[in-house]
Amino acid sequence: MQHASTRSKGSRPVPSASTTGVAGLRTPPVSRFSTLRHQKYDLFQSGWKGESVVTPKLWLIGMMSSGKTKVGRKVSRLSGHPLADTDDEIVERAGMSIPDIFATRGEPAFRTMESEEVARIADGPHQMVVATGGGVILDETNRRLMRESGLVVLLKPSLGALIARGKTRNRPLLQGHADLGARYTEIWEARKHLYREASHADVPTDGKPRSLIAKEVWELWRSS
């Protein structure tokens, strides 16, 4: 079973929760946090075991079908903070399903609405869990706003696990593709560097119940 992994700005991994007892971060979120928050990051990184300060937002990113919404619900219950799902917010705002948005307005219109939701949530004053769409990382401003406003965690199932789930409903980028394995691989190869750039930490999910994944994510967040 794999544990949550974290990385510094370089390629060398930082010790994970499984070896240190506390989860680390690649790099702490910046720019919008107070001096006190930065001081507590320094204390945490040096082994401080006092009460942690939760960063304003927890952003869950990852491929389609990686479990962001379902894990987000569990983290919401663990933390007591509300869950926002960017796809649900877009559907409510547009008054139509995501496949219908793609079909009638096109993907660029969907991405514009997605970026507007990210900006709105990032600028909000409340702590919350945010489940994002798989393509949220395609926009550079989205990546920056998520990192600046909270902790960004990549849920990382294997491609084999994603393909085995075989979910195509409400996923326009998969519809019409008979070979899901080839399509998932194509999308992952095009996006993997952006997921890494956007995230502070990643949590491998294969072989784990969602309750355990949520606990690992919550430990990362409350220690951030």
Side-chain angles (χ1 to χ4, degrees):
M1 182 177 296
Q2 295 176 297
H3 296 273
S5 65
T6 55
R7 290 186 287 273
S8 64
K9 291 182 179 179
S11 59
R12 182 185 300 177
V14 175
S16 70
S18 61
T19 58
T20 65
V22 193
L25 302 175
R26 292 181 192 148
T27 52
V30 295
S31 86
R32 294 194 181 187
F33 301 137
S34 65
T35 301
L36 175 61
R37 187 176 301 282
H38 283 298
Q39 289 171 345
K40 290 201 172 182
Y41 267 116
D42 292 340
L43 288 168
F44 166 69
Q45 296 289 359
S46 65
W48 179 63
K49 299 299 190 295
E51 182 181 357
S52 299
V53 177
V54 178
T55 55
K57 305 293 188 299
L58 169 67
W59 299 88
L60 297 177
I61 65 172
M63 286 280 286
M64 296 173 288
S65 303
S66 60
K68 300 180 292 291
T69 298
K70 291 179 180 178
V71 170
R73 289 192 191 108
K74 291 184 180 296
V75 177
S76 176
R77 287 195 288 270
L78 287 170
S79 66
H81 297 302
L83 170 70
D85 185 301
T86 57
D87 282 352
D88 287 349
E89 297 292 332
I90 292 167
V91 167
E92 181 176 354
R93 172 183 165 193
M96 64 178 71
S97 68
I98 290 175
D100 285 344
I101 295 172
F102 270 69
T104 61
R105 303 184 186 180
E107 183 176 356
F110 173 81
R111 296 301 173 197
T112 296
M113 288 187 279
E114 184 174 55
S115 294
E116 289 169 353
E117 285 302 319
V118 168
R120 180 185 64 80
I121 293 170
D123 195 49
H126 303 296
Q127 290 178 334
M128 64 174 57
V129 182
V130 189
T132 64
V136 72
I137 44 76
L138 294 173
D139 183 86
E140 181 180 2
T141 299
N142 290 349
R143 299 194 300 273
R144 176 179 58 79
L145 288 176
M146 289 190 295
R147 285 186 63 90
E148 289 181 352
S149 63
L151 175 69
V152 187
V153 176
L154 170 64
L155 298 186
K156 197 174 180 183
S158 65
L159 282 176
L162 291 174
I163 295 163
R165 292 169 191 171
K167 295 181 179 179
T168 59
R169 184 172 177 271
N170 289 329
R171 303 188 188 284
L173 295 181
L174 297 181
Q175 292 175 358
H177 293 271
D179 189 341
L180 286 183
R183 182 57 174 157
Y184 267 117
T185 300
E186 178 186 13
I187 294 171
W188 170 249
E189 290 298 323
R191 295 179 178 179
K192 61 184 180 181
H193 66 292
L194 299 177
Y195 285 124
R196 181 180 176 89
E197 178 184 320
S199 60
H200 295 103
D202 57 70
V203 176
T205 63
D206 283 5
K208 299 176 184 175
R210 289 194 180 95
S211 57
L212 177 58
I213 299 167
K215 287 179 182 176
E216 291 185 16
V217 172
W218 170 228
E219 286 297 324
L220 286 167
W221 191 23
R222 72 177 183 175
S223 299
S224 64

